[in-house]
Amino acid sequence: MAERKPEGYLEGRPLHPESLMMSYGYKPALSEGAIKIPIFQTSTFVFKTAEDGKSFFELAYGLRHRGPSEEMGLIYSRLNNPDLEVLEDRLTLWDGAESAATFASGMAAISTTLLAFVRPGDVVLHSEPVYGGTDFLLKHVLPQFGVRVVGFHAGTPAEAAETQLRRQGLADKLAMIYIETPANPTNALVDIAAYAALAARLSGERRVLTAVDNTFLGPLWQQPLRHGADLVLYSATKYIGGHSDVIAGVCLGSRALLDQVKVMRTIFGTMAGAHTGWLLLRSLETLKLRMTSQMKNARYVAEFLNDHPKVERVYYLGNLSEGDPQYEVYRRQCSAAGGMISFEVVGGEKEAFRLLNALKLIHLAVSLGGTESLAEHPASMTHSDVDPEERIELGITPAMVRISIGVEHPEDLIADLAQALEQV
Ligand SMILES: *Cc1c(COP(=O)(O)O)cnc(C)c1O
C-alpha cells in the first residue's frame, strides 16, 4: 500500500482521492506561487552539484537501491519531469499503489511493462478478448522474442485455466497472468483474486506477476491491487484523460516493480511528455464527477435498451443478478457498473449500421471514456482483427453495437437512441 505524504491527511485522517486531485504532490512555492503546476517544457534539468548528478543517475539506471525516503532528482525529461511526477503521485491515491509510471499511450504502458518482466522461454497466460493492440502484442510480437502465450476466455474459472496450463506442461514456465476485466465489448468479468491466487500457487523461485488492464472501470469502480494484482495498467486516453483529446497510459504497482518498469521506460523512451502530464492533471480534478455522471447515465440508457423491442440483448454490468457466477465476481471486485454498454439489435450488420448511421447526438467513433458519448460496431471496427470464428465464440456478433456513455443529459441520449432505433 502507498505511503501517503503528510499532505494526504487532515487531523490524522486520510483524505479521499477526489479531495487531493487539485493540490497533492505540488508545492506552489517552487513555482513562483502559481496555484496550478506550470508545464515544465524542458528537456534537461540543471544539477546543483556533480555529486547530485552522479547520485541521480545511479538511481535512474538501478545501480543502487533508493533510500527509504529518497526522491530521485530531476535529470532529463525522458527519465522524469515534474508534471509527470506530480501526476504519478496523484494517480497512486486512487489505486492504493506505492508507485506509478506515465506513458505516451496505453500501448506504451502495456508493451513496456510486459517487456520489463518476460524473457525468452517464459509463458504469459492471458484473458480473452483483450484490446486489439494488446492482442497483437501477445500473439504476434512476444512469440518473436521466444515468449509463449496461452489464452483463456473471460469468465473461465482459474482452476480450469490452471488445468489447461498443467496439461500443456507450461505451469512452471509461467511469468505473468495478464487480465483485462471487464472484457471489451461483452463486459465479461475475470475474477482478479482467483487469478492472483493462481499466480501465487504457480510461483516458484520467481514470483508470477498478475497484471490487470483496468481501463474500463478504473480507477473509480475497480482497484485490482486491493484484490491481489501486482500491476495495474491503463489507457489514460479513456476515462482518466476523459476528454478525447490526449493519448496516454499508466502502470501502477509496488515501488520495487515500478522501479523496474521505469528503467525500461527510460531505455525505450516510452514516457509521456510534460504537456500530456499537465492535461491529465487537469483531467484528474474532475475524474470522479465525470465517471459518476457517466455511470448514472449508463443506468438510464441500459434500462431503456433492456425494454426496447428492437434490442435483442444488452451487455451491461448493472444487469447481472444473483445466482449468476459473474454477479458474485462483480459484487466482490467492482463498486459500480461503469459507463460501457454493448447491445445487439434485432437483425445483423445491416440493422446495426442503420442505427449507427442514424445517431445524431452520439458520435460514431471508436475509443471510450470521454465526456461525449460514442458508438461503434465491434465486429467490423475494434474487433475486426479477431478470427471470425473466435469472434462469434466470444459473443461479438454482427448485430452488436458498443456505446461509451458520456456526461450529456440522459433524456437526450435516450431520445437519440430511440429515434435511431426507429430506423432499424
Ligand atoms: C484503448 C485501450 C488500450 C490502448 O490504449 P492507447 O492509449 O490507445 O494506446 C488498451 N487497453 C484498453 C482496454 C483500451 O481500451
Side-chain angles (χ1 to χ4, degrees):
M1 279 283 152
E3 265 175 70
R4 256 184 207 205
K5 297 178 181 182
E7 58 182 298
Y9 295 84
L10 185 68
E11 316 251 309
R13 190 176 60 79
L15 290 164
H16 296 86
E18 61 268 34
S19 305
L20 292 166
M21 287 303 110
M22 285 61 78
S23 60
Y24 188 75
Y26 168 66
K27 294 186 189 74
L30 294 178
S31 297
E32 306 281 5
I35 188 156
K36 288 295 145 181
I37 188 167
I39 304 177
F40 284 85
Q41 191 67 46
T42 185
S43 59
T44 196
F45 297 86
V46 178
F47 301 136
K48 282 203 187 85
T49 63
E51 287 77 9
D52 270 1
K54 176 180 173 178
S55 152
F56 298 168
F57 265 98
E58 283 170 350
L59 284 185
Y61 285 108
L63 301 178
R64 69 175 170 87
H65 287 293
R66 193 160 26 163
S69 61
E70 186 179 3
E71 302 252 0
M72 189 158 90
L74 293 161
I75 300 176
Y76 179 72
S77 287
R78 176 155 48 74
L79 282 67
N80 50 14
N81 177 287
D83 292 287
L84 294 194
E85 292 199 333
V86 172
L87 170 66
E88 287 161 359
D89 281 349
R90 289 186 194 170
L91 283 165
T92 60
L93 298 175
W94 295 97
D95 274 289
E98 277 178 9
S99 186
T102 318
F103 292 85
S105 69
M107 282 314 302
I110 294 165
S111 54
T112 304
T113 302
L114 275 161
L115 288 167
F117 298 111
V118 301
R119 294 294 173 268
D122 283 349
V123 170
V124 175
L125 177 71
H126 69 91
S127 64
E128 284 188 289
V130 287
Y131 179 74
T134 310
D135 192 74
F136 194 94
L137 175 70
L138 289 169
K139 292 180 182 158
H140 303 297
V141 179
L142 290 184
Q144 295 185 50
F145 292 87
V147 176
R148 221 158 131 192
V149 299
V150 179
F152 65 89
H153 285 185
T156 306
E159 293 72 23
E162 180 176 6
T163 305
Q164 185 196 345
L165 213 53
R166 287 195 190 278
R167 202 175 290 145
Q168 290 176 273
L170 298 175
D172 60 336
K173 297 191 179 66
L174 188 65
M176 184 183 278
I177 299 180
Y178 184 97
I179 293 168
E180 195 177 305
T181 183
N184 173 22
T186 56
N187 278 330
L189 296 173
V190 180
D191 188 334
I192 297 168
Y195 278 87
L198 172 60
R201 278 203 296 285
L202 297 182
S203 290
E205 240 163 72
R206 181 173 63 157
R207 232 166 56 103
V208 176
L209 299 176
T210 306
V212 179
D213 182 333
N214 200 33
T215 299
F216 270 56
L217 282 184
L220 257 294
W221 315 129
Q222 180 173 271
Q223 286 122 23
L225 298 179
R226 303 191 204 279
H227 302 280
D230 301 292
L231 294 160
V232 180
L233 294 154
Y234 287 103
S235 168
T237 309
K238 315 294 167 54
Y239 287 100
I240 292 175
H243 295 73
S244 305
D245 57 5
V246 64
I247 299 272
V250 182
C251 176
L252 297 116
S254 69
R255 203 150 107 157
L257 291 178
L258 263 289
D259 281 353
Q260 284 175 263
V261 170
K262 284 181 186 175
V263 169
M264 276 303 174
R265 182 181 68 171
T266 291
I267 300 309
F268 291 162
T270 43
M271 73 299 153
H275 185 235
T276 292
W278 185 89
L279 279 172
L280 292 178
L281 282 167
R282 173 178 249 221
S283 290
L284 281 187
E285 299 189 11
T286 56
L287 180 68
K288 185 180 181 189
L289 286 176
R290 287 183 283 107
M291 287 192 77
T292 302
S293 160
Q294 287 163 301
M295 176 269 285
K296 287 185 181 164
N297 279 352
R299 234 188 255 156
Y300 290 113
V301 172
E303 251 168 56
F304 164 78
L305 293 170
N306 286 342
D307 294 336
H308 200 284
K310 285 186 182 167
V311 174
E312 185 81 48
R313 182 166 178 185
V314 181
Y315 295 87
Y316 168 62
L317 288 175
N319 282 353
L320 291 172
S321 58
E322 221 145 328
D324 186 336
Q326 287 268 293
Y327 177 76
E328 288 310 308
V329 179
Y330 174 72
R331 216 177 37 82
R332 273 201 307 276
Q333 76 187 29
C334 316
S335 57
M340 295 300 296
I341 303 174
S342 293
F343 62 97
E344 284 170 356
V345 293
V346 173
E349 183 184 279
K350 190 164 69 113
E351 288 72 20
F353 278 18
R354 240 186 236 157
L355 170 100
L356 288 168
N357 290 332
L359 289 169
K360 291 176 178 150
L361 175 65
I362 302 172
H363 291 281
L364 171 54
V366 298
S367 198
L368 58 109
T371 43
E372 69 280 271
S373 296
L374 300 178
E376 64 112 7
H377 186 249
S380 69
M381 297 170 192
T382 46
H383 295 70
S384 56
D385 202 36
V386 179
D387 173 68
E389 231 170 81
E390 202 185 337
R391 214 158 46 215
I392 296 299
E393 252 177 66
L394 293 168
I396 308 167
T397 67
M400 182 185 270
V401 169
R402 186 191 79 183
I403 339 179
S404 164
I405 303 293
V407 301
E408 302 91 342
H409 198 291
E411 280 171 16
D412 296 335
L413 293 174
I414 290 169
D416 194 24
L417 284 163
Q419 67 78 24
L421 279 162
E422 294 271 312
Q423 312 297 312
V424 173

